[in-house]
Amino acid sequence: MKELPNPTFALSPVYFPRGSLHPGPANPNVDFLPRRVQSTIQVAWAKHQDEVREAQQLRYSVFATEMGARLPKTLPGHDIDLFDDYCEHLLVRDTLRGQVIGTYRVLTPAQAKRAGSTYSDTEFDLTRLRDLRKRMVELGRSCVHAEHRHGGVIMALWGALFEFMDRNRLDTMIGCASIPMLHNGVVTGDAAASIWHQLRETHLANIQYHVRPRLPLPVDELGHGVQIDPPALIKGYLRLGAKVLGAPAWDPDFNTADLPMMMRTADLPARYRRHFSMGVP
């Protein structure tokens, strides 16, 4: 069993309800801030290689089996890429079954230097973020098991992420937020183009932080009149104060449109700062 470095102190069990992360038409404004109640989920950082393998198995199940992504066949049934060995892996576990049901991976500034780049660098020209890199982490490969897609799991992950940022005096998170190209049973970029045109009007970052996609989704050639909400995870990021850094890239392996996004701890709304025990300035 390979021992991994622990990026932070041991995390306490997190107690959240099974609220809906994917609101239906009857409740389109569901809040991502649930009340604390007893639950059966625990969040912790992977300490051993076999725990990382559990996260990679979950990722394979979601990305390859559900979404049809084309993944390298490094190890059957696992999603593995060259950044995994440099990342910290955050896990949410169902304590009743002992099963990993949610995960993020986190690439710290020091490890990004060792890796030579972030994953986002492979999709975008991040030149304008160079002054942020010393205190910037990359979030990636986020996914939740199909039977557990409720507010409690994602809030548990976010709570641990913000605790990590606070303890390590980091202030910026970046990552690629994916929009599926499949819409109403048809593979099309119209939905992604429509979401981009919505968000560029309401949540676009200051021009000093704009980035350019290396393989752009041709948003100007696609229809952008589709009435569609952003995916639930992107809506959650926006509630946390995240900004979109530019137009989406096309990821042919995952067949998604990837939006570059940035969250800064200073922009976290006060109610979430209190919830994550970060204090309110």
Side-chain angles (χ1 to χ4, degrees):
M1 183 181 295
K2 182 180 177 182
E3 187 83 19
L4 299 177
N6 192 0
T8 187
F9 298 110
L11 299 175
S12 302
V14 179
Y15 302 106
F16 293 114
R18 298 181 65 87
S20 174
L21 182 61
H22 302 274
N27 189 18
N29 298 313
V30 64
D31 198 348
F32 277 69
L33 189 61
R35 300 172 184 171
R36 290 176 181 266
V37 296
Q38 185 72 27
S39 186
T40 58
I41 55 177
Q42 284 184 318
V43 59
W45 297 94
K47 296 180 181 178
H48 307 287
Q49 187 65 52
D50 58 341
E51 292 175 321
V52 176
R53 290 286 183 252
E54 289 183 88
Q56 292 167 338
Q57 287 178 311
L58 174 62
R59 284 160 33 183
Y60 183 91
S61 174
V62 173
F63 300 143
T65 305
E66 286 189 43
M67 298 172 51
R70 296 176 298 175
L71 302 175
K73 297 180 180 179
T74 309
L75 182 65
H78 293 70
D79 167 40
I80 301 174
D81 75 2
L82 62 88
F83 290 97
D84 275 336
D85 285 343
Y86 296 94
C87 291
E88 310 294 351
H89 298 264
L90 185 60
L91 314 176
V92 172
R93 191 179 297 277
D94 178 347
T95 57
L96 293 180
R97 298 182 182 179
Q99 178 185 19
V100 171
I101 58 174
T103 186
Y104 263 103
R105 72 178 186 189
V106 180
L107 185 62
T108 64
Q111 290 296 85
K113 281 188 176 180
R114 290 188 61 198
S117 74
T118 65
Y119 178 87
S120 297
D121 282 294
T122 69
E123 291 209 51
F124 298 92
D125 178 352
L126 303 184
T127 300
R128 292 188 177 182
L129 304 186
R130 59 185 176 272
D131 293 338
L132 304 177
R133 286 187 184 261
K134 288 184 179 179
R135 299 178 68 179
M136 180 180 85
V137 304
E138 181 189 50
L139 308 182
R141 288 303 205 263
S142 61
C143 63
V144 176
H145 190 284
E147 296 177 6
H148 297 271
R149 288 174 186 159
H150 52 77
V153 172
I154 200 67
M155 288 297 288
L157 288 164
W158 284 342
L161 288 170
F162 280 106
E163 180 184 21
F164 176 87
M165 298 290 289
D166 196 39
R167 287 183 176 181
N168 291 283
R169 299 184 180 181
L170 301 164
D171 58 25
T172 303
M173 292 177 271
I174 65 159
C176 303
S178 297
I179 303 171
M181 300 291 281
L182 186 66
H183 177 62
N184 289 337
V186 178
V187 176
T188 173
D190 292 352
S194 298
I195 290 170
W196 156 242
H197 278 273
Q198 290 177 42
L199 298 185
R200 70 184 297 182
E201 299 298 324
T202 58
H203 292 87
L204 189 62
N206 188 289
I207 192 171
Q208 72 187 91
Y209 299 127
H210 287 189
V211 304
R212 293 179 178 272
R214 300 191 185 281
L215 182 60
L217 186 74
V219 289
D220 293 332
E221 301 172 21
L222 295 167
H224 49 81
V226 178
Q227 298 299 310
I228 182 173
D229 284 337
L233 188 61
I234 292 179
K235 290 171 69 175
Y237 287 149
L238 298 177
R239 287 192 178 99
L240 294 177
K243 298 293 184 182
V244 177
L245 302 180
W250 177 48
D251 184 337
D253 291 330
F254 282 76
N255 199 24
T256 58
D258 289 348
L259 273 179
M261 300 192 74
M262 177 173 72
M263 278 193 295
R264 309 202 71 184
T265 55
D267 296 332
L268 187 67
R271 61 202 299 261
Y272 286 98
R273 293 180 71 85
R274 287 192 293 268
H275 190 79
F276 296 141
S277 303
M278 295 177 66
V280 181

